[in-house]
Amino acid sequence: MRRSAIRLVASAALLFAAVVPGAHAADDSSAAGPTFKPGDVIPFDRLEELKPFLPKEVWANRDFFFFEGMKLEVGPFHADYSPASVYTEATTKFAGQSKLGPDGSLEGYTTGQPFPIDQIDCKTDPDAGTKLIWNFHYRWAPPSAVSSFYYSYWDRGEELPLYYEGSGGGVQLSHRPEPSLLEQGGDMFRGETRKTASGAEVTAPFDARGIMLLSYRYKESDMPLAKARNDDTWVYVPTLRRVRRISTAQRTDAISGTDFTLDDLFSFNGVVPQYEWKCLGEQDVIAPFNTKVKGYPYVKDQNFGPYGLSFANDRWELRRAVIVRMTPRNKDHPYAFKDIYIDKETLQPLYSFAYDQKQELWKILYHNHRWSGDDSLTGKWHDSWEEVAEPRVMSVVADVIINVQTGTGNRIEIWDAGGKPVGNKAQIRRYIDVGRLTRGR
């Protein structure tokens, strides 16, 4: 198995952690309010109505997103998708405990939202961007989940043969808000040093079938730059009949010639202190939210538009976004900066825009989402768990990246994300054990 292919599948493993030029001030053109309303179906000839509520980069590259024959359904405005009470109660309980350390590191954090978002002022607080990204990093999620994945690569509307599909899962091992876990500091297991463990198994294509991965992210990744620990990843390669440990330190390299990097998952899946952060403001934006279509694994022939990268036949909702700019501390990083639009309530990613070292727009990332309480798509799909009767999780179920300079892009589909837990503590121990990769082989 080629090393580049192994690294591509390694990126898929990180998908399943259950945990992951010019400032953008709020757009005054939207001040008058939208001309569309909830329940409207927006065809292509009404596209201009969406312009005040789309990031300027999306509008400038709208051919990737919107097309003749589209039927974009407008969902509710600013609907309530607040997290489970166990998370909000923990946020209140530990408010004021978290502090920023050197290099924007995080100190004193236990669980919940590290910095209550209603206390962050982008206009007056120079650390607002760093506080927001820590909130994003520790956004509400189930303690464990498994799902299916399909990774496809597109070139100007043609799906290329490079693809991967399989299943994966992840477990949040520390900083949990459930009362029983708070007795041991929010850790799932006593003495835990990891934050998350995630794994994946590839079932197709044939030459990659049987590859298995396991990846750890450590608590030490929250530390100052010199001490911020990178992830460890192990991969079982069937053709070699052994486990190899692979480096994920180079998280900014393109994966197997595609447009994704490891740090691009969910718009940002990197180590926070390795970047500088700035809050650019807030803006009402319309974005794919609470999907009403079925993607993989339910269907594989959903119409994603002429480029294969569009959600224009789905439900979009008006949301309040906070915008943060990520600037790499490493001068060799391929991005000059990336601007990330984060939903202010759920702290899920909406859009992000990566600029190259010439400060020209290079990549657009955006995401589709699914609400745990909406059973209309496939019936009940998101389980509750002990101490959390109502999960109230907004899950990312698709990542799309568009390379606006080449016309290529990737789509990662996980439409059943979060619907099934890994299991009880004993099953979780087995699942996150490196020895599992070779057991029975």
Side-chain angles (χ1 to χ4, degrees), residues 11 35 60-61 77 81 114 127 212 221 259 262 309 352 422 428:
S11 71
T35 57
N61 295 278
F77 293 177
Y81 297 118
D127 294 323
M212 297 179 66
S221 64
D259 294 298
L262 293 176
L309 303 169
S352 61
V422 170
I428 287 173

Side-chain angles (χ1 to χ4, degrees), residues 38-60:
D40 282 358
V41 176
I42 307 294
F44 188 73
D45 60 7
R46 289 182 60 187
L47 194 60
E48 193 79 22
E49 296 180 46
L50 303 181
K51 180 180 178 181
F53 302 93
L54 292 168
K56 63 182 177 62
E57 294 93 339
V58 171
W59 184 255

Side-chain angles (χ1 to χ4, degrees), residues 133-244:
I133 204 64
W134 279 120
N135 286 352
F136 171 84
H137 183 75
Y138 283 112
R139 61 195 182 274
W140 171 239
S144 69
V146 294
S147 59
S148 310
F149 70 86
Y150 184 76
Y151 182 105
S152 54
Y153 186 38
W154 295 79
D155 185 353
R156 289 166 283 251
E158 178 187 2
E159 183 174 4
L160 301 181
L162 178 58
Y163 77 97
Y164 290 93
E165 61 182 304
S167 63
V171 182
Q172 186 168 347
L173 298 170
S174 59
H175 302 300
R176 298 301 312 173
E178 292 87 344
S180 63
L181 298 181
L182 286 179
E183 296 174 5
Q184 50 197 43
D187 290 347
M188 186 167 287
F189 305 114
R190 287 185 177 83
E192 184 60 69
T193 61
R194 299 160 294 186
K195 290 200 294 185
T196 61
S198 55
E201 181 171 2
V202 179
T203 56
F206 179 80
D207 64 351
R209 188 167 62 187
I211 291 178
M212 297 179 66
L213 284 111
L214 184 64
S215 184
Y216 293 161
R217 174 159 292 188
Y218 299 94
K219 292 180 179 178
E220 291 170 279
S221 64
D222 292 359
M223 298 180 70
L225 187 60
K227 298 179 179 179
R229 184 174 179 178
N230 281 306
D231 300 353
D232 281 327
T233 300
W234 295 265
V235 57
Y236 173 77
V237 185
T239 54
L240 301 178
R241 288 183 167 272
R242 65 185 181 90
V243 172
R244 292 178 53 191

Side-chain angles (χ1 to χ4, degrees), residues 45-159:
D45 60 7
R46 289 182 60 187
L47 194 60
E48 193 79 22
E49 296 180 46
L50 303 181
K51 180 180 178 181
F53 302 93
L54 292 168
K56 63 182 177 62
E57 294 93 339
V58 171
W59 184 255
N61 295 278
R62 56 191 176 275
D63 289 347
F64 288 104
F65 297 86
F66 310 111
F67 53 91
E68 291 280 0
M70 64 178 248
K71 294 181 179 180
L72 186 153
E73 179 182 310
V74 178
F77 293 177
H78 306 295
D80 176 14
Y81 297 118
S82 54
S85 58
V86 68
Y87 182 81
T88 57
E89 289 166 3
T91 298
T92 301
K93 179 177 181 178
F94 295 103
Q97 182 190 72
S98 299
K99 306 292 182 184
L100 293 180
D103 304 319
S105 57
L106 185 62
E107 300 176 353
Y109 174 66
T110 300
T111 187
Q113 208 170 80
F115 303 96
I117 199 163
D118 58 356
Q119 300 175 22
I120 300 175
D121 187 345
C122 283
K123 294 181 180 180
T124 62
D125 186 354
D127 294 323
T130 309
K131 292 175 181 177
L132 287 167
I133 204 64
W134 279 120
N135 286 352
F136 171 84
H137 183 75
Y138 283 112
R139 61 195 182 274
W140 171 239
S144 69
V146 294
S147 59
S148 310
F149 70 86
Y150 184 76
Y151 182 105
S152 54
Y153 186 38
W154 295 79
D155 185 353
R156 289 166 283 251
E158 178 187 2
E159 183 174 4

